[in-house]
């Protein structure tokens, strides 16, 4: 009989995990896209980019190892943007994305948000499925999103009312 899978623990930002934030996001971005200036800015200072202005960075740990991350960016008084969702390739299918999503949605609601949105790429099927599972719906799509967001890979915007 195999041992039960280890539980996922989601924690908020810790400077000790900054390198994990970069590592996990580089894995998925470099696989299909390219690292851009705004990626580098968030890697250099996730606390300053997300936490200090009223957002958060979450880490999914299994047996103390950081295997997933995502960030919440405060867009305005009642809106947050979900950013930088990443799960290590070897840990996919173990509900880490769900755990991170629940933490992000709960935190946004607790902080008074009425809406959360994200931008992503139409080729990222598993990510789109995760977002839909948690209530996100397509709000816009097209190449103009790349210009607006500063990410050449962005071609889909989704949102959920909280």
């Amino acid at each position: 009989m195999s041992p039960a899978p280890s539980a996922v623990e989601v924690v908020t930002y810790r400077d000790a995990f900054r390198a994990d934030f970069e590592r996990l996001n580089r894995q998925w971005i470099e696989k299909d896209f390219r690292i851009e200036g705004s990626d580098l800015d968030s890697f250099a200072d996730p606390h300053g980019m997300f936490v200090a202005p009223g957002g958060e960075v979450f880490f999914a740990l299994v047996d103390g190892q950081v295997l997933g991350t995502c960030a919440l960016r405060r867009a305005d008084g009642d809106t947050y943007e979900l950013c930088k969702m990443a799960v290590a390739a070897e840990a996919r299918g173990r509900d880490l994305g769900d755990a991170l999503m629940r933490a992000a949605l709960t935190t946004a609601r607790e902080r008074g948000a009425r809406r959360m949105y994200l931008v992503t790429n139409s080729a990222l099927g598993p990510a789109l499925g995760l977002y839909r599972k948690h209530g996100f719906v397509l709000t816009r799509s097209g190449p103009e999103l790349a210009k607006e967001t500063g990410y050449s890979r962005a071609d889909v915007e989704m949102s959920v009312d909280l």
Side-chain angles (χ1 to χ4, degrees):
M1 190 167 133
S2 61
S6 297
V8 177
E9 178 188 10
V10 176
V11 299
T12 55
Y13 186 78
R14 297 177 187 174
D15 197 52
F17 296 152
R18 189 201 61 74
D20 295 296
F21 181 79
E22 179 173 352
R23 171 183 57 85
L24 290 165
N25 277 287
R26 278 186 177 276
Q27 280 179 355
W28 77 264
I29 296 168
E30 291 175 341
K31 180 179 176 289
D32 296 310
F33 307 102
R34 65 182 174 82
I35 300 293
E36 301 182 51
S38 37
D39 294 314
L40 294 174
D41 291 344
S42 69
F43 298 162
D45 187 11
H47 185 274
M49 178 143 315
F50 301 111
V51 181
E56 192 54 80
V57 177
F58 301 95
F59 296 96
L61 285 71
V62 176
D63 296 330
Q65 183 181 5
V66 179
L67 295 177
T69 189
C70 72
L72 272 181
R73 185 185 70 79
R74 185 179 197 103
D76 62 38
D78 64 359
T79 305
Y80 279 85
E81 179 184 9
L82 182 72
C83 309
K84 300 288 188 254
M85 172 72 78
V87 173
E90 69 273 15
R92 292 188 186 139
R94 294 171 55 189
D95 297 326
L96 277 75
D98 285 314
L100 288 163
M101 185 64 76
R102 284 190 300 272
L105 289 165
T106 298
T107 298
R109 283 185 187 104
E110 287 171 351
R111 295 183 184 183
R114 298 171 55 126
R115 179 177 170 267
M116 185 184 298
Y117 77 98
L118 59 89
V119 293
T120 188
N121 186 277
S122 55
L124 300 175
L128 294 170
L130 173 70
Y131 304 143
R132 283 189 202 100
K133 177 180 175 182
H134 288 274
F136 284 81
V137 295
L138 179 69
T139 47
R140 296 189 303 157
S141 63
E144 70 281 357
L145 283 170
K147 293 181 193 82
E148 291 175 25
T149 63
Y151 289 107
S152 63
R153 63 185 176 265
D155 70 353
V156 170
E157 180 185 90
M158 300 176 82
S159 71
V160 62
D161 290 331
L162 304 174

